[in-house]
Amino acid sequence: MESYNIQQIKQANQEMLNYFNNSFLENLETIQQLKTQAFEIDIKIDELEKTKNIYAFKSTSRKSVFTPTTSDDFEDEKSKIIEEQINDLLSVKDSLYTKIRSLELSLTSVKKRLAILNDAETSIDNLMKSLTPELLAEGSPDEDGDFEFIQEQKTDSATTHGYNILMQDAFDKAFYSTLLHRNIKDGLVSINHKLEMLSYLLSTDVSRAKITLQEILHSSKKILDSVDDINSKFDANLNSSQPIWSKLDDFVMQQRDKHPECIIDANIECTDYEINLHPIFTINLLKLLNIFFDNIFKHSNANSIDFKMSLSKNKVDVCISDNGVGIDPDYLTKSPWYSNLHKAHEIIYLLGGTLSITGDIISGTTVRFNFSVQE
């Protein structure tokens, strides 16, 4: 096994270790918050029980020919109301403990993964100690941080790229699973708890009930936005019957709508507007464009983008320039292995294309890539 691959596996293992450590801490914090809520409900139930006992004592000890019947009826009714409030709180408490048990099971699962990753970390360290300095240095980046783009790296093997692609695919699945659990499932569980609390507040504190209702509406809106966001990440809106030039036109319009602060000058040349590319080329072309445009909007502080593209039935050529802060020439070694720019390199490698990314603080950043296509 090449030492470069060992370093890469160590980095990947460390990234996953950090990910599950953060997940463990988040779950632990959530459990503590839920237990605090349950404790506060216990206090409220205890207060209501004491109040109910007072009314029960009055209704059984104050009966006489001089005590009006209506007083007993009122006290019985008040006792029933308190009993209903207690039952509502008990229902909320049961829901909280159901959530706590679910999170504790999840915490146990995360602990097992952490144990496996820690064992893997120890094994990797022991393996690296057994290698000579020459083997550890082989295949590593130059001291000055210079590197060649993936399509130009003659020493890279297909196996190395295969490892990269498999790791990135596994990370994407874990990432989307986390989004679904955190943004959707947890959001729905939270709304369910608030609805249960709302049923109690409607009979005890109308003002607080209104605030809780607003919180529920806000949470529902966030879930809807999350669904739309996750849906877009899965390319669910990709219509195979729509011509490629039309998809590209829609892409540009969407970017302009989402980022009105940035001027996007687009020039897309298409030799044949009836071109119908194989879906694999269409999907990955749009994925690459999303990666590079997202990178501009997140990191470059640019307010102008020049997007040029030439499309024929045989080849795609793309040039994207911005007037932002440029890019570190050592970005591949400094950014994590699962970053979008790493994914872009692997996608273009799989397509048999070429990629270059250049830039500085004066001229901004220019991305050029091309690959051959077929209908």
Side-chain angles (χ1 to χ4, degrees):
M1 178 181 291
E2 297 179 6
S3 59
Y4 182 81
N5 289 341
I6 295 175
Q7 294 279 8
Q8 191 176 46
I9 292 171
K10 178 177 174 62
Q11 181 185 3
N13 191 78
Q14 186 60 51
E15 293 287 348
M16 295 304 290
L17 194 58
N18 293 340
Y19 170 81
F20 282 110
N21 265 324
N22 291 334
S23 178
F24 179 84
L25 293 175
E26 288 176 2
N27 280 353
L28 194 61
E29 183 179 355
T30 303
I31 288 173
Q32 293 303 321
Q33 291 174 351
L34 293 174
K35 286 184 176 180
T36 299
Q37 293 177 31
F39 177 74
E40 291 172 351
I41 289 176
D42 278 335
I43 293 175
K44 184 65 177 177
I45 290 174
D46 187 56
E47 292 175 351
L48 290 172
E49 287 283 4
K50 291 177 180 178
T51 304
K52 187 186 73 169
N53 290 338
I54 291 173
Y55 281 103
F57 173 77
K58 286 180 179 180
S59 63
T60 58
S61 64
R62 294 178 56 201
K63 290 189 180 227
S64 71
V65 293
F66 302 105
T67 304
T69 306
T70 54
S71 177
D72 287 342
D73 292 341
F74 171 78
E75 290 167 357
D76 287 341
E77 184 64 27
K78 186 64 177 179
S79 181
K80 289 178 182 178
I81 292 173
I82 293 174
E83 183 67 32
E84 290 175 358
Q85 293 174 358
I86 291 173
N87 290 335
D88 288 340
L89 287 172
L90 287 172
S91 176
V92 175
K93 180 182 172 182
D94 287 342
S95 297
L96 289 175
Y97 275 106
T98 299
K99 176 64 174 175
I100 289 171
R101 286 191 291 271
S102 174
L103 286 173
E104 286 176 340
L105 288 174
S106 177
L107 211 60
T108 301
S109 176
V110 172
K111 281 183 181 178
K112 292 179 180 178
R113 287 175 169 83
L114 283 172
I116 293 171
L117 289 168
N118 279 314
D119 289 343
E121 185 78 5
T122 302
S123 298
I124 293 170
D125 287 340
N126 290 337
L127 179 60
M128 293 180 69
K129 289 177 183 177
S130 68
L131 298 176
T132 64
E134 290 78 12
L135 284 174
L136 285 172
E138 182 182 342
S140 60
D142 295 335
E143 290 183 1
D144 59 4
D146 292 338
F147 66 91
E148 294 178 309
F149 291 106
I150 281 181
Q151 74 280 357
E152 298 173 340
Q153 291 176 338
K154 306 303 181 182
T155 58
D156 276 357
S157 67
T159 303
T160 300
H161 288 289
Y163 288 156
N164 294 342
I165 294 160
L166 289 173
M167 287 192 301
Q168 289 168 357
D169 180 64
F171 178 85
D172 284 342
K173 289 179 179 177
F175 175 70
Y176 292 135
S177 176
T178 301
L179 283 182
L180 288 170
H181 193 282
R182 184 188 64 195
N183 295 359
I184 309 301
K185 182 179 178 181
D186 285 357
L188 291 173
V189 170
S190 175
I191 287 177
N192 186 55
H193 290 158
K194 288 177 181 177
L195 286 171
E196 291 174 344
M197 183 62 78
L198 183 62
S199 65
Y200 161 71
L201 292 172
L202 285 173
S203 60
T204 59
D205 189 342
V206 176
S207 297
R208 179 56 190 164
K210 291 179 179 179
I211 295 174
T212 302
L213 182 59
Q214 290 299 319
E215 292 174 351
I216 292 172
L217 293 173
H218 178 68
S219 297
S220 299
K221 177 64 167 58
K222 287 181 63 177
I223 290 175
L224 289 175
D225 291 342
S226 295
V227 169
D228 289 339
D229 180 57
I230 295 171
N231 191 49
S232 66
K233 294 180 187 298
F234 281 113
D235 297 318
N237 59 342
L238 187 61
N239 184 356
S240 59
S241 64
Q242 185 182 10
I244 180 62
W245 67 266
S246 179
K247 293 186 180 74
L248 293 169
D249 188 54
D250 288 346
F251 170 81
V252 173
M253 295 301 296
Q254 289 169 5
Q255 297 301 315
R256 286 172 175 165
D257 290 341
K258 288 167 62 177
H259 303 279
E261 75 285 355
C262 187
I263 298 172
I264 302 176
D265 184 16
N267 182 13
I268 302 174
E269 297 180 358
C270 189
T271 58
D272 182 1
Y273 288 101
E274 297 302 320
I275 291 177
N276 187 19
L277 302 182
H278 189 284
I280 195 66
F281 295 106
T282 300
I283 291 170
N284 284 288
L285 172 59
L286 292 174
K287 185 175 291 186
L288 287 167
L289 294 178
N290 272 298
I291 285 174
F292 292 125
F293 272 78
D294 284 349
N295 197 66
I296 291 173
F297 296 127
K298 289 179 180 177
H299 305 294
S300 75
N301 294 323
N303 58 19
S304 177
I305 299 174
D306 185 23
F307 172 38
K308 295 180 181 179
M309 180 173 178
S310 174
L311 174 66
S312 70
K313 66 178 181 180
N314 297 319
K315 194 172 184 179
V316 171
D317 278 291
V318 176
C319 179
I320 307 170
S321 300
D322 67 66
N323 66 344
V325 297
I327 188 170
D328 190 327
D330 201 23
Y331 72 90
L332 271 183
T333 57
K334 290 185 176 180
S335 60
W337 58 269
Y338 53 81
S339 70
N340 279 334
L341 289 180
H342 277 273
K343 292 175 185 177
H345 276 275
E346 298 303 341
I347 291 171
I348 291 173
Y349 171 81
L350 286 175
L351 295 174
T354 61
L355 167 66
S356 70
I357 304 178
T358 58
D360 54 55
I361 195 169
I362 297 175
S363 60
T365 303
T366 298
V367 175
R368 293 184 176 89
F369 69 88
N370 62 71
F371 53 85
S372 299
V373 299
Q374 63 188 42
E375 296 186 30

